[in-house]
Amino acid sequence: MNRQSDWQPLEITAESAGVPATPAGLMEFISDSSRIDEMLVREKALVFRGFGVDTDTLDPVMDGLLPNRLAYVHGNSPRTKVGSNVYTSTEYPSELTISMHNELSYAHAWPSRLLFFAAQEPTTGGATPVVDGVAWLEGLAPEVREAFAGGVRYVQNLHGGRGLGKSWQDTFETSDRGEVETFLKGTEAEWEWLRDGGLRVTQVRPSTVRHPVTGVEVWFNQSDQWHPAALGDDMAAELAQILPEEELPQSVRFADGSPIPDEYVVQVRDKGLEAAVDVDWHTGDLLLIDNVLVGHGRRPFTGPRRILVAMSD
């Protein structure tokens, strides 16, 4: 683990836990769910190392750490489902950085926990940076925090099977329009079916939230990841110049409909990465994070890196 701030995740080994260095030893340690709950709120992120967990022994560990494993419904990042509500981490070009974010912070509901598992460590790089949401918020200039105080408006254009970005079928894990509408009716979102078979979803969400247990206020939105100025991806930036904003796969403005200045989202992106602590991966490692208290991202890498992720409420 690379220390870049005063806070860092708590690393738990068989020795520190007082259990055998085996999957069964890890199961023994996490069987006290109240202790894990308290540790996670206090430490914000937990790294489990050296327990010899592999894909064959992963499921019971996930069941122990994620009380109610959730499907990645309404998720906007490209992933592959590989098991019972288990997914690959975001499938994004390996040479690019994925900036800091809280999973599904743009949605009406989000997971409270994320669990990452290193099925295959990368050859080089590929750390998962994690950032304390309080530090991220406090690192932003006062004028930026004030500008975002009213919230943000996200717009998704989901194609119907062919087009840019994700389809609505992949996003909602169904090809039934009725199921999609039933889901969206409970999210305070606005939506419309487009003539080309696509779906446009508009949502107004807060820029910060308070943790349900500690009450601390944290930065909690994905404005920089939805804004072309902060993408850091030449192809995406070029796309934003070619297509009108209302036709982009995703876009963002302030809640009142006014544009977010480029320099604001660049500051949000950069301050999150600057405050982050890198969790380096070794095959078999697990990382459990409180998805409200902690944002996460990904550093560039080489080699066959394979990180699996699951989430719970």
Side-chain angles (χ1 to χ4, degrees), residues 86-135:
V86 180
Y87 302 82
T88 58
S89 58
T90 300
E91 295 167 356
Y92 201 54
S94 61
E95 68 274 15
L96 300 177
T97 295
I98 298 178
S99 60
M100 310 309 294
H101 60 286
N102 303 80
E103 202 63 50
L104 290 167
S105 62
Y106 55 85
H108 179 256
W110 47 81
S112 63
R113 292 183 179 184
L114 300 181
L115 180 65
F116 301 87
F117 169 69
Q120 172 64 61
E121 65 189 69
T123 303
T124 64
T128 294
V130 287
V131 63
D132 181 341
V134 175

mmCIF file of all heavy atoms in Angstrom, residues 86-135:
data_model
loop_
_atom_site.group_PDB
_atom_site.id
_atom_site.type_symbol
_atom_site.label_atom_id
_atom_site.label_comp_id
_atom_site.label_asym_id
_atom_site.label_seq_id
_atom_site.Cartn_x
_atom_site.Cartn_y
_atom_site.Cartn_z
ATOM 1 N N VAL A 86 -21.734 -10.987 -9.322
ATOM 2 C CA VAL A 86 -20.290 -10.735 -9.294
ATOM 3 C C VAL A 86 -19.908 -10.268 -10.687
ATOM 4 O O VAL A 86 -20.326 -10.855 -11.689
ATOM 5 C CB VAL A 86 -19.485 -11.992 -8.920
ATOM 6 C CG1 VAL A 86 -17.987 -11.682 -8.901
ATOM 7 C CG2 VAL A 86 -19.936 -12.528 -7.572
ATOM 8 N N TYR A 87 -19.086 -9.207 -10.752
ATOM 9 C CA TYR A 87 -18.771 -8.579 -12.021
ATOM 10 C C TYR A 87 -17.267 -8.332 -12.136
ATOM 11 O O TYR A 87 -16.560 -8.285 -11.135
ATOM 12 C CB TYR A 87 -19.498 -7.225 -12.142
ATOM 13 C CG TYR A 87 -20.996 -7.329 -12.013
ATOM 14 C CD1 TYR A 87 -21.611 -7.389 -10.760
ATOM 15 C CD2 TYR A 87 -21.807 -7.390 -13.142
ATOM 16 C CE1 TYR A 87 -22.987 -7.503 -10.639
ATOM 17 C CE2 TYR A 87 -23.188 -7.488 -13.030
ATOM 18 C CZ TYR A 87 -23.772 -7.549 -11.782
ATOM 19 O OH TYR A 87 -25.133 -7.663 -11.665
ATOM 20 N N THR A 88 -16.808 -8.170 -13.365
ATOM 21 C CA THR A 88 -15.458 -7.672 -13.542
ATOM 22 C C THR A 88 -15.433 -6.199 -13.140
ATOM 23 O O THR A 88 -16.461 -5.514 -13.198
ATOM 24 C CB THR A 88 -15.009 -7.792 -15.004
ATOM 25 O OG1 THR A 88 -15.935 -7.059 -15.839
ATOM 26 C CG2 THR A 88 -14.971 -9.251 -15.438
ATOM 27 N N SER A 89 -14.274 -5.724 -12.720
ATOM 28 C CA SER A 89 -14.144 -4.293 -12.501
ATOM 29 C C SER A 89 -14.241 -3.597 -13.857
ATOM 30 O O SER A 89 -14.182 -4.238 -14.913
ATOM 31 C CB SER A 89 -12.821 -3.971 -11.806
ATOM 32 O OG SER A 89 -11.728 -4.444 -12.562
ATOM 33 N N THR A 90 -14.389 -2.289 -13.844
ATOM 34 C CA THR A 90 -14.655 -1.537 -15.066
ATOM 35 C C THR A 90 -13.664 -1.880 -16.172
ATOM 36 O O THR A 90 -12.454 -1.814 -15.971
ATOM 37 C CB THR A 90 -14.606 -0.024 -14.781
ATOM 38 O OG1 THR A 90 -15.606 0.282 -13.810
ATOM 39 C CG2 THR A 90 -14.875 0.772 -16.041
ATOM 40 N N GLU A 91 -14.198 -2.263 -17.315
ATOM 41 C CA GLU A 91 -13.384 -2.669 -18.454
ATOM 42 C C GLU A 91 -13.043 -1.430 -19.290
ATOM 43 O O GLU A 91 -13.761 -1.049 -20.209
ATOM 44 C CB GLU A 91 -14.133 -3.728 -19.265
ATOM 45 C CG GLU A 91 -14.335 -5.015 -18.469
ATOM 46 C CD GLU A 91 -15.337 -5.974 -19.092
ATOM 47 O OE1 GLU A 91 -15.949 -5.602 -20.120
ATOM 48 O OE2 GLU A 91 -15.507 -7.078 -18.560
ATOM 49 N N TYR A 92 -11.946 -0.812 -18.929
ATOM 50 C CA TYR A 92 -11.511 0.460 -19.476
ATOM 51 C C TYR A 92 -10.070 0.269 -19.919
ATOM 52 O O TYR A 92 -9.331 -0.499 -19.288
ATOM 53 C CB TYR A 92 -11.617 1.519 -18.373
ATOM 54 C CG TYR A 92 -11.684 2.955 -18.821
ATOM 55 C CD1 TYR A 92 -12.633 3.377 -19.745
ATOM 56 C CD2 TYR A 92 -10.805 3.900 -18.288
ATOM 57 C CE1 TYR A 92 -12.703 4.704 -20.133
ATOM 58 C CE2 TYR A 92 -10.869 5.227 -18.672
ATOM 59 C CZ TYR A 92 -11.818 5.630 -19.600
ATOM 60 O OH TYR A 92 -11.886 6.939 -19.979
ATOM 61 N N PRO A 93 -9.617 0.906 -21.002
ATOM 62 C CA PRO A 93 -8.255 0.673 -21.493
ATOM 63 C C PRO A 93 -7.202 0.743 -20.387
ATOM 64 O O PRO A 93 -7.212 1.657 -19.557
ATOM 65 C CB PRO A 93 -8.071 1.790 -22.523
ATOM 66 C CG PRO A 93 -9.450 2.041 -23.048
ATOM 67 C CD PRO A 93 -10.355 1.862 -21.857
ATOM 68 N N SER A 94 -6.295 -0.222 -20.395
ATOM 69 C CA SER A 94 -5.358 -0.392 -19.281
ATOM 70 C C SER A 94 -4.403 0.776 -19.110
ATOM 71 O O SER A 94 -3.875 0.992 -18.009
ATOM 72 C CB SER A 94 -4.553 -1.682 -19.461
ATOM 73 O OG SER A 94 -3.786 -1.628 -20.657
ATOM 74 N N GLU A 95 -4.173 1.549 -20.165
ATOM 75 C CA GLU A 95 -3.219 2.655 -20.065
ATOM 76 C C GLU A 95 -3.826 3.905 -19.438
ATOM 77 O O GLU A 95 -3.118 4.883 -19.161
ATOM 78 C CB GLU A 95 -2.651 2.998 -21.445
ATOM 79 C CG GLU A 95 -3.633 3.614 -22.423
ATOM 80 C CD GLU A 95 -4.441 2.587 -23.216
ATOM 81 O OE1 GLU A 95 -4.451 1.393 -22.829
ATOM 82 O OE2 GLU A 95 -5.073 2.983 -24.224
ATOM 83 N N LEU A 96 -5.131 3.884 -19.187
ATOM 84 C CA LEU A 96 -5.820 5.062 -18.661
ATOM 85 C C LEU A 96 -6.100 4.936 -17.168
ATOM 86 O O LEU A 96 -6.266 3.838 -16.637
ATOM 87 C CB LEU A 96 -7.134 5.281 -19.412
ATOM 88 C CG LEU A 96 -7.019 5.503 -20.924
ATOM 89 C CD1 LEU A 96 -8.403 5.644 -21.547
ATOM 90 C CD2 LEU A 96 -6.170 6.730 -21.229
ATOM 91 N N THR A 97 -6.166 6.088 -16.515
ATOM 92 C CA THR A 97 -6.562 6.161 -15.102
ATOM 93 C C THR A 97 -8.072 6.301 -15.010
ATOM 94 O O THR A 97 -8.675 7.059 -15.781
ATOM 95 C CB THR A 97 -5.897 7.373 -14.426
ATOM 96 O OG1 THR A 97 -4.482 7.188 -14.416
ATOM 97 C CG2 THR A 97 -6.389 7.548 -12.985
ATOM 98 N N ILE A 98 -8.680 5.585 -14.093
ATOM 99 C CA ILE A 98 -10.092 5.807 -13.771
ATOM 100 C C ILE A 98 -10.124 6.696 -12.543
ATOM 101 O O ILE A 98 -9.568 6.360 -11.495
ATOM 102 C CB ILE A 98 -10.832 4.488 -13.504
ATOM 103 C CG1 ILE A 98 -10.818 3.611 -14.762
ATOM 104 C CG2 ILE A 98 -12.283 4.764 -13.068
ATOM 105 C CD1 ILE A 98 -11.475 2.261 -14.581
ATOM 106 N N SER A 99 -10.739 7.861 -12.667
ATOM 107 C CA SER A 99 -10.735 8.834 -11.571
ATOM 108 C C SER A 99 -11.616 8.365 -10.415
ATOM 109 O O SER A 99 -12.381 7.410 -10.523
ATOM 110 C CB SER A 99 -11.196 10.198 -12.082
ATOM 111 O OG SER A 99 -12.507 10.122 -12.607
ATOM 112 N N MET A 100 -11.499 9.061 -9.305
ATOM 113 C CA MET A 100 -12.168 8.660 -8.078
ATOM 114 C C MET A 100 -13.681 8.852 -8.191
ATOM 115 O O MET A 100 -14.165 9.825 -8.769
ATOM 116 C CB MET A 100 -11.628 9.458 -6.897
ATOM 117 C CG MET A 100 -10.103 9.464 -6.794
ATOM 118 S SD MET A 100 -9.371 7.813 -6.877
ATOM 119 C CE MET A 100 -10.023 7.118 -5.362
ATOM 120 N N HIS A 101 -14.417 7.920 -7.593
ATOM 121 C CA HIS A 101 -15.875 8.008 -7.603
ATOM 122 C C HIS A 101 -16.439 7.040 -6.559
ATOM 123 O O HIS A 101 -15.771 6.106 -6.136
ATOM 124 C CB HIS A 101 -16.435 7.639 -8.986
ATOM 125 C CG HIS A 101 -16.090 6.249 -9.416
ATOM 126 N ND1 HIS A 101 -14.825 5.884 -9.841
ATOM 127 C CD2 HIS A 101 -16.834 5.106 -9.491
ATOM 128 C CE1 HIS A 101 -14.804 4.608 -10.148
ATOM 129 N NE2 HIS A 101 -16.011 4.105 -9.938
ATOM 130 N N ASN A 102 -17.657 7.292 -6.159
ATOM 131 C CA ASN A 102 -18.413 6.366 -5.304
ATOM 132 C C ASN A 102 -19.395 5.640 -6.213
ATOM 133 O O ASN A 102 -20.082 6.262 -7.023
ATOM 134 C CB ASN A 102 -19.160 7.120 -4.205
ATOM 135 C CG ASN A 102 -18.249 7.958 -3.351
ATOM 136 O OD1 ASN A 102 -17.859 9.059 -3.756
ATOM 137 N ND2 ASN A 102 -17.896 7.469 -2.183
ATOM 138 N N GLU A 103 -19.460 4.330 -6.068
ATOM 139 C CA GLU A 103 -20.261 3.529 -7.001
ATOM 140 C C GLU A 103 -21.730 3.935 -6.983
ATOM 141 O O GLU A 103 -22.360 4.027 -5.932
ATOM 142 C CB GLU A 103 -20.131 2.046 -6.655
ATOM 143 C CG GLU A 103 -20.464 1.128 -7.797
ATOM 144 C CD GLU A 103 -19.497 1.320 -8.960
ATOM 145 O OE1 GLU A 103 -18.274 1.317 -8.750
ATOM 146 O OE2 GLU A 103 -20.001 1.491 -10.088
ATOM 147 N N LEU A 104 -22.257 4.214 -8.198
ATOM 148 C CA LEU A 104 -23.668 4.555 -8.394
ATOM 149 C C LEU A 104 -24.088 5.808 -7.625
ATOM 150 O O LEU A 104 -25.255 5.967 -7.266
ATOM 151 C CB LEU A 104 -24.577 3.374 -8.015
ATOM 152 C CG LEU A 104 -24.513 2.176 -8.968
ATOM 153 C CD1 LEU A 104 -25.188 0.951 -8.346
ATOM 154 C CD2 LEU A 104 -25.182 2.511 -10.293
ATOM 155 N N SER A 105 -23.143 6.725 -7.405
ATOM 156 C CA SER A 105 -23.501 7.951 -6.692
ATOM 157 C C SER A 105 -24.455 8.824 -7.494
ATOM 158 O O SER A 105 -25.089 9.718 -6.939
ATOM 159 C CB SER A 105 -22.246 8.750 -6.328
ATOM 160 O OG SER A 105 -21.536 9.152 -7.488
ATOM 161 N N TYR A 106 -24.564 8.577 -8.805
ATOM 162 C CA TYR A 106 -25.497 9.333 -9.638
ATOM 163 C C TYR A 106 -26.908 8.761 -9.581
ATOM 164 O O TYR A 106 -27.847 9.346 -10.116
ATOM 165 C CB TYR A 106 -25.026 9.325 -11.099
ATOM 166 C CG TYR A 106 -24.809 7.934 -11.637
ATOM 167 C CD1 TYR A 106 -25.851 7.198 -12.156
ATOM 168 C CD2 TYR A 106 -23.552 7.351 -11.582
ATOM 169 C CE1 TYR A 106 -25.658 5.905 -12.619
ATOM 170 C CE2 TYR A 106 -23.339 6.070 -12.048
ATOM 171 C CZ TYR A 106 -24.391 5.353 -12.563
ATOM 172 O OH TYR A 106 -24.185 4.068 -13.002
ATOM 173 N N ALA A 107 -27.070 7.608 -8.959
ATOM 174 C CA ALA A 107 -28.351 6.908 -8.963
ATOM 175 C C ALA A 107 -29.183 7.265 -7.729
ATOM 176 O O ALA A 107 -28.698 7.881 -6.765
ATOM 177 C CB ALA A 107 -28.125 5.400 -9.015
ATOM 178 N N HIS A 108 -30.446 6.848 -7.761
ATOM 179 C CA HIS A 108 -31.345 7.107 -6.641
ATOM 180 C C HIS A 108 -30.947 6.309 -5.402
ATOM 181 O O HIS A 108 -31.133 6.740 -4.265
ATOM 182 C CB HIS A 108 -32.777 6.758 -7.046
ATOM 183 C CG HIS A 108 -33.785 6.955 -5.961
ATOM 184 N ND1 HIS A 108 -34.335 5.920 -5.236
ATOM 185 C CD2 HIS A 108 -34.346 8.089 -5.469
ATOM 186 C CE1 HIS A 108 -35.184 6.396 -4.354
ATOM 187 N NE2 HIS A 108 -35.223 7.703 -4.474
ATOM 188 N N ALA A 109 -30.399 5.130 -5.615
ATOM 189 C CA ALA A 109 -29.928 4.276 -4.521
ATOM 190 C C ALA A 109 -28.561 3.727 -4.907
ATOM 191 O O ALA A 109 -28.291 3.492 -6.089
ATOM 192 C CB ALA A 109 -30.910 3.133 -4.260
ATOM 193 N N TRP A 110 -27.726 3.533 -3.918
ATOM 194 C CA TRP A 110 -26.373 3.071 -4.176
ATOM 195 C C TRP A 110 -26.007 2.002 -3.154
ATOM 196 O O TRP A 110 -26.596 1.909 -2.075
ATOM 197 C CB TRP A 110 -25.390 4.245 -4.072
ATOM 198 C CG TRP A 110 -25.611 5.085 -2.851
ATOM 199 C CD1 TRP A 110 -25.193 4.844 -1.571
ATOM 200 C CD2 TRP A 110 -26.372 6.305 -2.798
ATOM 201 N NE1 TRP A 110 -25.633 5.829 -0.725
ATOM 202 C CE2 TRP A 110 -26.345 6.747 -1.447
ATOM 203 C CE3 TRP A 110 -27.042 7.073 -3.765
ATOM 204 C CZ2 TRP A 110 -26.978 7.917 -1.044
ATOM 205 C CZ3 TRP A 110 -27.674 8.229 -3.350
ATOM 206 C CH2 TRP A 110 -27.644 8.636 -2.009
ATOM 207 N N PRO A 111 -25.021 1.160 -3.470
ATOM 208 C CA PRO A 111 -24.594 0.152 -2.504
ATOM 209 C C PRO A 111 -23.868 0.804 -1.327
ATOM 210 O O PRO A 111 -23.187 1.816 -1.493
ATOM 211 C CB PRO A 111 -23.645 -0.738 -3.313
ATOM 212 C CG PRO A 111 -23.152 0.145 -4.409
ATOM 213 C CD PRO A 111 -24.282 1.073 -4.741
ATOM 214 N N SER A 112 -24.017 0.224 -0.164
ATOM 215 C CA SER A 112 -23.297 0.735 1.005
ATOM 216 C C SER A 112 -21.894 0.158 1.099
ATOM 217 O O SER A 112 -21.008 0.766 1.696
ATOM 218 C CB SER A 112 -24.071 0.419 2.288
ATOM 219 O OG SER A 112 -24.184 -0.990 2.470
ATOM 220 N N ARG A 113 -21.690 -1.026 0.484
ATOM 221 C CA ARG A 113 -20.382 -1.679 0.525
ATOM 222 C C ARG A 113 -19.983 -2.165 -0.857
ATOM 223 O O ARG A 113 -20.824 -2.581 -1.647
ATOM 224 C CB ARG A 113 -20.408 -2.912 1.438
ATOM 225 C CG ARG A 113 -20.589 -2.640 2.895
ATOM 226 C CD ARG A 113 -20.527 -3.958 3.670
ATOM 227 N NE ARG A 113 -20.683 -3.748 5.093
ATOM 228 C CZ ARG A 113 -20.593 -4.709 6.006
ATOM 229 N NH1 ARG A 113 -20.338 -5.961 5.608
ATOM 230 N NH2 ARG A 113 -20.742 -4.441 7.277
ATOM 231 N N LEU A 114 -18.676 -2.144 -1.107
ATOM 232 C CA LEU A 114 -18.105 -2.776 -2.283
ATOM 233 C C LEU A 114 -17.006 -3.727 -1.823
ATOM 234 O O LEU A 114 -16.254 -3.414 -0.893
ATOM 235 C CB LEU A 114 -17.488 -1.755 -3.237
ATOM 236 C CG LEU A 114 -18.366 -0.657 -3.825
ATOM 237 C CD1 LEU A 114 -17.536 0.207 -4.762
ATOM 238 C CD2 LEU A 114 -19.564 -1.239 -4.544
ATOM 239 N N LEU A 115 -16.916 -4.866 -2.484
ATOM 240 C CA LEU A 115 -15.850 -5.818 -2.209
ATOM 241 C C LEU A 115 -15.124 -6.125 -3.513
ATOM 242 O O LEU A 115 -15.737 -6.536 -4.497
ATOM 243 C CB LEU A 115 -16.405 -7.121 -1.627
ATOM 244 C CG LEU A 115 -15.369 -8.204 -1.309
ATOM 245 C CD1 LEU A 115 -14.432 -7.750 -0.197
ATOM 246 C CD2 LEU A 115 -16.049 -9.513 -0.925
ATOM 247 N N PHE A 116 -13.807 -5.892 -3.516
ATOM 248 C CA PHE A 116 -12.957 -6.179 -4.656
ATOM 249 C C PHE A 116 -12.109 -7.411 -4.340
ATOM 250 O O PHE A 116 -11.623 -7.570 -3.220
ATOM 251 C CB PHE A 116 -12.020 -5.002 -4.950
ATOM 252 C CG PHE A 116 -12.725 -3.706 -5.256
ATOM 253 C CD1 PHE A 116 -13.108 -2.852 -4.226
ATOM 254 C CD2 PHE A 116 -12.994 -3.333 -6.561
ATOM 255 C CE1 PHE A 116 -13.744 -1.650 -4.495
ATOM 256 C CE2 PHE A 116 -13.627 -2.147 -6.846
ATOM 257 C CZ PHE A 116 -14.009 -1.296 -5.816
ATOM 258 N N PHE A 117 -11.897 -8.253 -5.353
ATOM 259 C CA PHE A 117 -11.087 -9.456 -5.188
ATOM 260 C C PHE A 117 -10.095 -9.561 -6.339
ATOM 261 O O PHE A 117 -10.477 -9.449 -7.507
ATOM 262 C CB PHE A 117 -11.973 -10.703 -5.174
ATOM 263 C CG PHE A 117 -11.191 -11.989 -5.265
ATOM 264 C CD1 PHE A 117 -10.392 -12.411 -4.203
ATOM 265 C CD2 PHE A 117 -11.233 -12.764 -6.420
ATOM 266 C CE1 PHE A 117 -9.654 -13.588 -4.296
ATOM 267 C CE2 PHE A 117 -10.509 -13.941 -6.516
ATOM 268 C CZ PHE A 117 -9.709 -14.353 -5.453
ATOM 269 N N ALA A 118 -8.826 -9.766 -6.006
ATOM 270 C CA ALA A 118 -7.781 -9.881 -7.018
ATOM 271 C C ALA A 118 -7.682 -11.329 -7.487
ATOM 272 O O ALA A 118 -7.007 -12.154 -6.865
ATOM 273 C CB ALA A 118 -6.446 -9.408 -6.470
ATOM 274 N N ALA A 119 -8.379 -11.641 -8.568
ATOM 275 C CA ALA A 119 -8.271 -12.978 -9.147
ATOM 276 C C ALA A 119 -6.948 -13.147 -9.875
ATOM 277 O O ALA A 119 -6.407 -14.252 -9.963
ATOM 278 C CB ALA A 119 -9.432 -13.220 -10.114
ATOM 279 N N GLN A 120 -6.407 -12.040 -10.412
ATOM 280 C CA GLN A 120 -5.111 -12.054 -11.086
ATOM 281 C C GLN A 120 -4.458 -10.694 -10.921
ATOM 282 O O GLN A 120 -4.992 -9.684 -11.371
ATOM 283 C CB GLN A 120 -5.279 -12.365 -12.572
ATOM 284 C CG GLN A 120 -4.006 -12.223 -13.394
ATOM 285 C CD GLN A 120 -2.929 -13.219 -12.993
ATOM 286 O OE1 GLN A 120 -3.136 -14.417 -13.094
ATOM 287 N NE2 GLN A 120 -1.783 -12.727 -12.532
ATOM 288 N N GLU A 121 -3.332 -10.659 -10.231
ATOM 289 C CA GLU A 121 -2.631 -9.389 -10.067
ATOM 290 C C GLU A 121 -2.037 -8.944 -11.395
ATOM 291 O O GLU A 121 -1.705 -9.762 -12.255
ATOM 292 C CB GLU A 121 -1.516 -9.536 -9.036
ATOM 293 C CG GLU A 121 -0.406 -10.476 -9.449
ATOM 294 C CD GLU A 121 0.554 -10.761 -8.318
ATOM 295 O OE1 GLU A 121 0.153 -11.434 -7.340
ATOM 296 O OE2 GLU A 121 1.709 -10.311 -8.428
ATOM 297 N N PRO A 122 -1.902 -7.621 -11.596
ATOM 298 C CA PRO A 122 -1.296 -7.130 -12.836
ATOM 299 C C PRO A 122 0.214 -7.345 -12.826
ATOM 300 O O PRO A 122 0.810 -7.589 -11.780
ATOM 301 C CB PRO A 122 -1.641 -5.638 -12.816
ATOM 302 C CG PRO A 122 -1.771 -5.307 -11.356
ATOM 303 C CD PRO A 122 -2.332 -6.537 -10.705
ATOM 304 N N THR A 123 0.800 -7.230 -14.004
ATOM 305 C CA THR A 123 2.258 -7.324 -14.094
ATOM 306 C C THR A 123 2.903 -6.109 -13.458
ATOM 307 O O THR A 123 3.840 -6.225 -12.658
ATOM 308 C CB THR A 123 2.696 -7.447 -15.570
ATOM 309 O OG1 THR A 123 2.058 -8.591 -16.144
ATOM 310 C CG2 THR A 123 4.205 -7.604 -15.677
ATOM 311 N N THR A 124 2.414 -4.928 -13.814
ATOM 312 C CA THR A 124 2.863 -3.682 -13.174
ATOM 313 C C THR A 124 1.661 -2.769 -12.992
ATOM 314 O O THR A 124 0.691 -2.836 -13.747
ATOM 315 C CB THR A 124 3.906 -2.936 -14.031
ATOM 316 O OG1 THR A 124 3.299 -2.524 -15.267
ATOM 317 C CG2 THR A 124 5.120 -3.806 -14.313
ATOM 318 N N GLY A 125 1.735 -1.891 -11.985
ATOM 319 C CA GLY A 125 0.692 -0.893 -11.765
ATOM 320 C C GLY A 125 -0.632 -1.519 -11.366
ATOM 321 O O GLY A 125 -0.687 -2.570 -10.731
ATOM 322 N N GLY A 126 -1.722 -0.843 -11.755
ATOM 323 C CA GLY A 126 -3.054 -1.381 -11.543
ATOM 324 C C GLY A 126 -3.596 -1.268 -10.145
ATOM 325 O O GLY A 126 -4.563 -1.954 -9.792
ATOM 326 N N ALA A 127 -2.998 -0.418 -9.302
ATOM 327 C CA ALA A 127 -3.523 -0.238 -7.952
ATOM 328 C C ALA A 127 -4.943 0.318 -8.001
ATOM 329 O O ALA A 127 -5.343 0.976 -8.965
ATOM 330 C CB ALA A 127 -2.623 0.705 -7.152
ATOM 331 N N THR A 128 -5.701 0.038 -6.950
ATOM 332 C CA THR A 128 -7.000 0.671 -6.756
ATOM 333 C C THR A 128 -6.818 1.803 -5.759
ATOM 334 O O THR A 128 -6.646 1.558 -4.569
ATOM 335 C CB THR A 128 -8.036 -0.339 -6.230
ATOM 336 O OG1 THR A 128 -8.292 -1.320 -7.236
ATOM 337 C CG2 THR A 128 -9.349 0.351 -5.879
ATOM 338 N N PRO A 129 -6.818 3.055 -6.218
ATOM 339 C CA PRO A 129 -6.718 4.167 -5.276
ATOM 340 C C PRO A 129 -8.043 4.352 -4.544
ATOM 341 O O PRO A 129 -9.111 4.184 -5.136
ATOM 342 C CB PRO A 129 -6.396 5.363 -6.168
ATOM 343 C CG PRO A 129 -6.954 5.003 -7.502
ATOM 344 C CD PRO A 129 -6.884 3.509 -7.610
ATOM 345 N N VAL A 130 -7.975 4.675 -3.274
ATOM 346 C CA VAL A 130 -9.169 4.945 -2.483
ATOM 347 C C VAL A 130 -8.989 6.294 -1.798
ATOM 348 O O VAL A 130 -7.880 6.664 -1.407
ATOM 349 C CB VAL A 130 -9.441 3.836 -1.443
ATOM 350 C CG1 VAL A 130 -9.941 2.575 -2.122
ATOM 351 C CG2 VAL A 130 -8.192 3.511 -0.628
ATOM 352 N N VAL A 131 -10.077 7.035 -1.655
ATOM 353 C CA VAL A 131 -9.989 8.381 -1.106
ATOM 354 C C VAL A 131 -11.050 8.592 -0.039
ATOM 355 O O VAL A 131 -12.200 8.166 -0.186
ATOM 356 C CB VAL A 131 -10.125 9.447 -2.221
ATOM 357 C CG1 VAL A 131 -11.492 9.388 -2.895
ATOM 358 C CG2 VAL A 131 -9.849 10.839 -1.689
ATOM 359 N N ASP A 132 -10.652 9.211 1.041
ATOM 360 C CA ASP A 132 -11.557 9.605 2.121
ATOM 361 C C ASP A 132 -12.460 10.719 1.593
ATOM 362 O O ASP A 132 -11.981 11.790 1.203
ATOM 363 C CB ASP A 132 -10.721 10.089 3.306
ATOM 364 C CG ASP A 132 -11.542 10.507 4.510
ATOM 365 O OD1 ASP A 132 -12.746 10.779 4.355
ATOM 366 O OD2 ASP A 132 -10.975 10.567 5.608
ATOM 367 N N GLY A 133 -13.780 10.475 1.572
ATOM 368 C CA GLY A 133 -14.707 11.448 1.015
ATOM 369 C C GLY A 133 -14.731 12.770 1.748
ATOM 370 O O GLY A 133 -15.024 13.815 1.152
ATOM 371 N N VAL A 134 -14.421 12.764 3.050
ATOM 372 C CA VAL A 134 -14.341 14.020 3.807
ATOM 373 C C VAL A 134 -13.157 14.844 3.325
ATOM 374 O O VAL A 134 -13.262 16.055 3.077
ATOM 375 C CB VAL A 134 -14.233 13.739 5.322
ATOM 376 C CG1 VAL A 134 -14.016 15.040 6.088
ATOM 377 C CG2 VAL A 134 -15.489 13.039 5.825
ATOM 378 N N ALA A 135 -11.998 14.195 3.174
ATOM 379 C CA ALA A 135 -10.801 14.888 2.705
ATOM 380 C C ALA A 135 -10.994 15.421 1.290
ATOM 381 O O ALA A 135 -10.530 16.513 0.951
ATOM 382 C CB ALA A 135 -9.605 13.938 2.767
#
